Amino acid sequence: PVLREICENRENPQAYPFIVDQALRNIYEISPDEARATIVADIRRPKSSFQFYSLAMLPFGTLEEADEALAARIESGDYGDALIARFASGAIAQRVEDAYSRREERFRNCITPLVFYFLRYDAAFGERELRRILSTKPAYPACWNVSWQARELGQYAMSPALERLAIENLSSGVVLIKNGFAELLGQYGSSAAEQPLWDTVVYFRSWWKGREEELKQPINQEGRQFERTLLIALTQSKAWSLTKDDLDRLLTLCSSDECRTEVTGRLRSWRPAAQPPTRP
């Protein structure tokens, strides 16, 4: 009852938002069905009272009952992009695209959660929009960093179309762009992303071979960061596991001292992946 009262009085100006959201999360632990009803009701309001991370507690899946409210939101000029990307079905894709297209150009020159929504439900439109954004000078660097823009949605941002474009952009001439896509593939990519990441490491090594001292210069910090992103993507992905031979190979492909130090540490602590028990 106390938690319910906190949630019901969430518009009280004296209430601390984080306490209201914590109350909702506690209700979800005690009574998931009640919490779901509260979340759906809040999403259907013209403006949500809870933070996105609290509403996103629901298991992945669309909320068709919230489609109309979400479409009305964006049509009224509200920026409920993350909610649409997380909960809307493809039934309102055209309405969302029309409303998005009416936004001022400066608000469309940055990757937003809606791009991930379009790539899931209208891949052709989403691909055109992503390519347009990546060919336009960004208002600020993070506009081109797909991994940073996907942080709220996490794995729910990923789709087959996005993975395909991410693999393609590993060869982008802009380090910021390919760094974000490499990070995204390491976090949420499927096993299909492993070989392209290896190919990118091989290309990176061939590019810097014989120029390792140049790579150490401050002006090439982006390059060193990209190498580290590739290293993390390959070694920490949940879609595949590297063998000791893989790590040995990765060590030979390192171009920076930082990379060699990190891979050497991983080799020292490497243990074979646990095998599932066999039935007698």
Side-chain angles (χ1 to χ4, degrees), residues 26-269:
N26 291 145
I27 291 177
Y28 189 81
E29 294 173 1
I30 299 168
S31 178
D33 290 340
E34 179 176 343
R36 183 185 188 282
T38 300
I39 289 172
V40 172
D42 193 71
I43 291 173
R44 297 176 70 178
R45 290 159 52 91
K47 188 173 181 61
S48 294
S49 300
F50 297 105
Q51 299 295 316
F52 175 78
Y53 72 86
S54 296
L55 301 175
M57 287 188 299
L58 294 183
F60 181 61
T62 58
L63 295 175
E64 287 83 358
E65 61 266 48
D67 273 354
E68 181 58 37
L70 290 171
R73 274 195 185 201
I74 192 171
E75 288 171 341
S76 69
D78 183 70
Y79 277 60
D81 295 10
L83 287 175
I84 291 173
R86 179 67 172 78
F87 295 115
S89 75
I92 61 170
Q94 188 60 59
R95 293 174 64 182
V96 175
E97 289 173 11
D98 292 342
Y100 171 84
S101 299
R102 289 194 294 271
R103 289 180 177 176
E104 292 183 40
E105 184 175 346
R106 61 193 177 100
F107 295 126
R108 292 186 290 109
N109 287 342
C110 191
I111 299 171
T112 76
L114 286 185
V115 173
F116 306 132
Y117 171 80
F118 297 143
L119 285 169
R120 182 177 298 115
Y121 293 112
D122 187 348
F125 180 87
E127 180 173 343
R128 287 197 304 272
E129 193 59 19
L130 182 60
R131 291 187 185 280
R132 182 190 65 78
I133 293 170
L134 295 180
S135 66
T136 305
K137 184 177 180 179
Y140 52 94
C143 281
W144 273 356
N145 189 328
V146 69
S147 178
W148 192 85
Q149 296 297 340
R151 71 196 188 288
E152 275 192 313
L153 294 172
Q155 62 180 318
Y156 304 122
M158 186 56 80
S159 63
L162 179 58
E163 181 171 79
R164 173 176 56 80
L165 290 168
I167 291 172
E168 175 188 321
N169 277 281
L170 288 175
S171 59
S172 170
V174 180
V175 177
L176 179 64
I177 291 176
K178 59 187 177 184
N179 190 80
F181 280 113
E183 186 175 353
L184 185 80
L185 290 171
Q187 291 173 327
Y188 313 117
S190 71
S191 58
E194 182 182 6
Q195 188 57 51
L197 285 168
W198 274 109
D199 293 342
T200 306
V201 172
V202 171
Y203 179 81
F204 185 93
R205 178 61 186 140
S206 66
W207 177 263
W208 288 105
K209 189 174 182 179
R211 300 165 52 214
E212 290 81 3
E213 290 301 314
E214 185 180 341
L215 182 60
K216 295 179 181 179
Q217 298 176 8
I219 195 174
N220 291 315
Q221 181 180 355
E222 268 192 343
R224 297 195 303 276
Q225 177 58 51
F226 183 48
E227 183 184 43
R228 187 168 192 278
T229 297
L230 291 170
L231 169 62
I232 293 174
L234 278 171
T235 58
Q236 297 186 6
S237 173
K238 297 179 180 178
W240 59 80
S241 297
L242 297 189
T243 65
K244 185 176 182 299
D245 288 343
D246 290 329
L247 290 175
D248 285 332
R249 181 192 180 201
L250 194 54
L251 183 60
T252 67
L253 292 172
C254 282
S255 296
S256 68
D257 293 338
E258 295 89 342
C259 177
R260 283 186 284 273
T261 298
E262 188 159 344
V263 176
T264 299
R266 292 180 181 277
L267 276 166
R268 288 172 180 165
S269 60

